[in-house]
Amino acid sequence: MAVRQDEVRSLVKSLSQDAWRDFTRVDMKSRIQGLPFNVITRMVADKRFYGAEVDDFREAREFKDMMSEAFEISGTSSPGDFIPVLRWIGFQGLEKKLQKLQAKFDIFSEALIEERRSKRQRSSGEWKATTYIDALLSLQESEPERYTNYVIKGNILSLLLAGTDTSSATIEWGMSLLLNHPEVVKRARAEIDEHIGHERLVEETDIPNLPYTQCIVQETLRLFPPGPLLLPHESSEDCTIGGFNVSRGTMVLVNAWAIHRDPQLWDDPLSFKPERFEKMENMGYKFIPFGTGRRHCPGTGLANRVVTSALAAFIQCFEWERVGEEMVELLEGKGLSMPKNKPLEAMCKARQRMSHVLKEL
């Protein structure tokens, strides 16, 4: 929790320094993107790759390039998966690109592991595990056959790919919706001012006392789920889905985006209405931004905390306006995490009532 709060505080501080007195035009995508990345990399290896407080700018640049390439490839379809002959001839060269990228990830993650192992060996006295890699290295000592470097590197890769771009995209969509609905911002700010006040920055432990802010996050996830097509499933037996006969062993994709906008399940499904979640208790299978059941996303709690903390801090600490009179564009771009087609820009100014708090960050 301390890492998450520290990164939200760092982002708020950065924004306040640029927009202290007057409304300033801010590239929100680049600002937001660093938050979940730094949260994950600090949890994994106690390293930051975004923002001013970066130890090794060369390493940070290589990391950003690698992740950018990974997300670009992840949104590419491979005809060779369906037409084998195209795979045999190397159509599009996608497999070669993946192999080169995997080699980069392997070198990068191996370096992180060896760095943490080296610090552990140099430590005097009892070693205390403070990162995800530290914990896995401890398990490696007791079960070396199970927790190999290969397994540790696979876990690092999973966290980086699944827990970063998805959260930043959700925060960007949330801010886009709020800019188009100032009345929602007004109500959320009143809630935050009532429960937290103006003497401190909102913290993660305050989230249970901010039900309307949580509704904003849920409605954002409904309209723009970070995984519009959930991870592929496979039918274990012959079955019928939506009136279609599905044979055993068939790949099945669940379209969460379509379910969340189904007029048979939701009233006025295309409108942004956070209040729809205020009295909704059992949502069943009609709200599944993180999947459901035993195969649902294990990072649900982490993602909700990061997204809610960031949006609450933005609402509490800043005044927001659209760059122009036009509404913020809400078209989806390419990619598995459904990023915005046009990166968000906004006019931002520090709230006068929060100025003394912002100065102390």
Side-chain angles (χ1 to χ4, degrees), residues 176-216:
S176 300
L177 291 164
L178 290 175
L179 285 166
N180 285 346
H181 297 84
E183 74 283 358
V184 174
V185 177
K186 184 177 180 180
R187 180 176 171 183
R189 181 171 291 147
E191 175 183 73
I192 294 170
D193 287 349
E194 177 184 355
H195 291 285
I196 290 96
H198 312 100
E199 301 304 318
R200 64 178 177 86
L201 185 66
V202 60
E203 297 178 355
E204 200 171 286
T205 52
D206 296 313
I207 291 177
N209 298 320
L210 304 175
Y212 188 67
T213 306
Q214 293 180 66
C215 289
I216 292 173

Side-chain angles (χ1 to χ4, degrees), residues 197-240:
H198 312 100
E199 301 304 318
R200 64 178 177 86
L201 185 66
V202 60
E203 297 178 355
E204 200 171 286
T205 52
D206 296 313
I207 291 177
N209 298 320
L210 304 175
Y212 188 67
T213 306
Q214 293 180 66
C215 289
I216 292 173
V217 174
Q218 290 177 303
E219 181 71 339
T220 301
L221 289 168
R222 183 186 71 82
L223 287 169
F224 302 102
L229 293 178
L230 302 182
L231 292 177
H233 289 64
E234 183 178 297
S235 53
S236 57
E237 301 291 343
D238 294 347
C239 59
T240 302

